[in-house]
Amino acid sequence: MECLLAQPSSNRPKELRDRAMLELLYATGMRVSELIALRMEDVNLRFGWLICRDVGRERMIPFGETAARAMRDYLEKARDTFLKDGAQPILFLNCSGKPMSRQGFWKLLKGYAAKVGIDKDITPRMFRHFCAAHMAARGAGLSVIQEILGHTDIAATQIYAEFQLGMKTEYSKTHPRA
C-alpha cells in the first residue's frame, strides 16, 4: 500500500489529483463510486471530515493529515487546470474537465500498480479493505469501522474482527515478550 500511495510523486496536476484520490480512498475506506461523486462542498479540510453520500443516506467520515495535505495540494495547485467550462461542483475531474469515472479511476490505479511492479489484479475495493484492516490492527472498534465503511449490518464488518483476533493470536504465539 505504501509503494502504491507513493507513486503519484510529481507536482504535475494529474499526479496531484491522483495522489489526492488515492490518499482519500485509503484514509476513508469509501467506495470508488462515493469518491468520484464527492462534491466540493462535501469536504472540510479545516476539520478533516467529509460527507459521503450513498443511496438514500449519508455519513461523515474523518480523514487524517496526509490525505488533507494531498487534498490541499490538489485544490490549490491542480484542480483549476482541469476546469474547462467554468464552475464544476464535482471534486475530482478528468483531463476533459468532466467528473472522473469509475473506469478512469480504475485505469489510473492499474497504471500506478504496474509502475511499482504489482502484477496481481489490484482493485479500488482493496483500498477499502486495507483501510478497515489497518484500523482493526491498530485497535479500532467494530462499530467505528462499521460506521466509516457505511455497513448497515455489523455482520459485514465481522471479517475485520476475525482479522484482529487472528493477528492477536499470532502475535501471542510469536512475539518474545507477548
Side-chain angles (χ1 to χ4, degrees), residues 49-178:
W49 286 89
L50 60 80
I51 297 172
C52 184
R53 290 179 175 81
D54 191 20
V55 186
R57 50 190 179 131
E58 63 182 47
R59 64 190 190 279
M60 287 184 65
I61 306 173
F63 57 89
E65 184 52 38
T66 303
R69 191 175 325 110
M71 287 295 299
R72 271 192 292 280
D73 286 346
Y74 167 63
L75 292 171
E76 293 170 6
K77 302 173 187 172
R79 188 172 185 277
D80 287 348
T81 64
F82 294 103
L83 289 172
K84 303 295 182 212
D85 299 321
Q88 170 58 264
I90 296 296
L91 180 62
F92 294 112
L93 306 174
N94 65 22
C95 293
S96 301
K98 306 275 189 238
M100 175 66 71
S101 67
R102 291 178 67 226
Q103 294 82 2
F105 182 82
W106 191 283
K107 184 178 175 181
L108 73 87
L109 180 58
K110 296 282 186 192
Y112 290 121
K115 194 173 175 183
V116 295
I118 299 172
D119 55 358
K120 294 182 175 145
D121 193 28
I122 187 158
T123 67
R125 190 158 185 80
M126 289 175 166
F127 282 75
R128 185 169 168 80
H129 291 303
F130 276 116
C131 171
H134 291 164
M135 288 180 65
R138 292 176 175 240
L142 280 186
S143 61
V144 170
I145 296 171
Q146 177 187 13
E147 181 65 27
I148 286 174
L149 295 182
H151 290 160
T152 53
D153 186 356
I154 194 72
T157 317
Q158 289 294 84
I159 189 169
Y160 302 109
E162 293 165 13
F163 171 82
Q164 204 172 24
L165 181 60
M167 186 176 56
K168 179 68 174 165
T169 303
E170 193 67 23
Y171 177 84
S172 297
K173 286 193 296 187
T174 60
H175 195 281
R177 293 186 184 231

Side-chain angles (χ1 to χ4, degrees), residues 34-52:
E34 295 167 334
L35 176 76
I36 63 173
L38 283 174
R39 301 170 71 82
M40 292 290 291
E41 73 256 14
D42 292 339
V43 179
N44 185 322
L45 288 175
R46 183 174 176 211
F47 294 108
W49 286 89
L50 60 80
I51 297 172
C52 184

